[in-house]
Amino acid sequence: LSWNEASLPAVFPPVRMKINDSDGHPSSSQQTLKGTSKWATSLENLLEDPEGVKRFREFLKKEFSEENVLFWLACEEFKKTQGKKQMQEKAKEIYMTFLSSKASSQVNVEGQSRLNESILETPHPLMFQKLQDQIFNLMKYDSYSRFLKSDIFLNHKKSEEQEENSPEAQTAAKRASRIYNT
């Protein structure tokens, strides 16, 4: 098992609530933030959106630090693991992939040397929590702010805005507004 885009939907299943207008078309009158607007409010919001994770990974790849978000995602998935055997397997995989001195995608965390293979024998859902928090803070206070200024983010935001301003989107908005403002 490797931490790639194929594993993302399982990590973050899409949660969507559809509101339709009288013609059965999705309403665009919802006031909730979505896409890049939501990503820009917090790293947490970005990491809850599969598309946001995809774009952030793309950015981190260019910065040679994609292992940070992959480690964070692996830890989130690990917390949901049931059964001692499965936990041991996943814990070992996380350790070998991200934490061992021979790791292929080693993350730079303090206290890494204190985490040795012996803890893999008695895994528990929060065993990586401190290290995951360190990586989260590293992303939050370092790469996330650069991501919000990156071409990847700004181009995606621009394409979202163009979609919202398309004649098709405006027609749906007018239909919705007629329905809700009668």
Side-chain angles (χ1 to χ4, degrees), residues 144-155:
Y144 174 64
S145 56
R146 286 195 309 280
F147 169 71
L148 296 178
K149 298 172 191 160
S150 73
D151 287 344
I152 291 171
F153 176 80
L154 296 173
N155 290 339

Side-chain angles (χ1 to χ4, degrees), residues 18-177:
K18 292 186 179 176
I19 298 175
N20 295 325
D21 64 19
S22 65
D23 298 336
H25 295 94
S27 169
S28 57
S29 67
Q30 299 172 41
Q31 296 300 310
T32 56
L33 293 176
K34 58 184 177 186
T36 54
S37 299
K38 192 170 183 180
W39 303 349
T41 60
S42 72
L43 178 57
E44 291 89 339
N45 285 340
L46 172 71
L47 294 173
E48 287 173 1
D49 182 342
E51 183 66 24
V53 170
K54 180 180 171 186
R55 300 296 172 169
F56 192 47
R57 282 185 60 193
E58 197 178 315
F59 170 75
L60 291 177
K61 213 178 265 186
K62 289 182 176 189
E63 290 211 331
F64 304 100
S65 60
E66 183 187 23
E67 67 279 356
N68 290 335
V69 74
L70 294 177
F71 173 72
W72 188 88
L73 291 168
C75 291
E76 285 298 293
E77 189 174 310
F78 177 76
K79 290 176 192 174
K80 300 173 192 166
T81 304
Q82 301 292 314
K84 186 178 179 184
K85 182 109 175 94
Q86 288 83 359
M87 284 188 99
Q88 283 176 324
E89 289 171 8
K90 281 193 178 185
K92 185 174 184 184
E93 184 181 340
I94 289 171
Y95 180 81
M96 298 308 285
T97 306
F98 301 106
L99 301 170
S100 140
S101 59
K102 298 173 188 148
S104 56
S105 300
Q106 191 176 35
V107 290
N108 185 12
V109 289
E110 294 173 31
Q112 185 174 324
S113 56
R114 288 193 303 270
L115 188 71
N116 61 46
E117 287 188 61
S118 65
I119 69 154
L120 301 177
E121 297 307 312
T122 55
H124 58 89
L126 301 177
M127 66 188 283
F128 298 115
Q129 190 64 54
K130 272 188 181 166
L131 302 176
Q132 184 186 17
D133 290 345
Q134 283 182 36
I135 291 299
F136 179 85
N137 286 327
L138 178 68
M139 292 188 299
K140 183 175 183 172
Y141 298 110
D142 186 38
S143 10
Y144 174 64
S145 56
R146 286 195 309 280
F147 169 71
L148 296 178
K149 298 172 191 160
S150 73
D151 287 344
I152 291 171
F153 176 80
L154 296 173
N155 290 339
H156 192 74
K157 183 177 179 181
K158 188 187 230 178
S159 69
E160 270 184 358
E161 289 166 354
Q162 287 171 343
E163 264 180 42
E164 287 174 12
N165 294 329
S166 72
E168 198 175 283
Q170 289 176 351
T171 305
K174 284 178 188 171
R175 272 197 310 271
S177 119

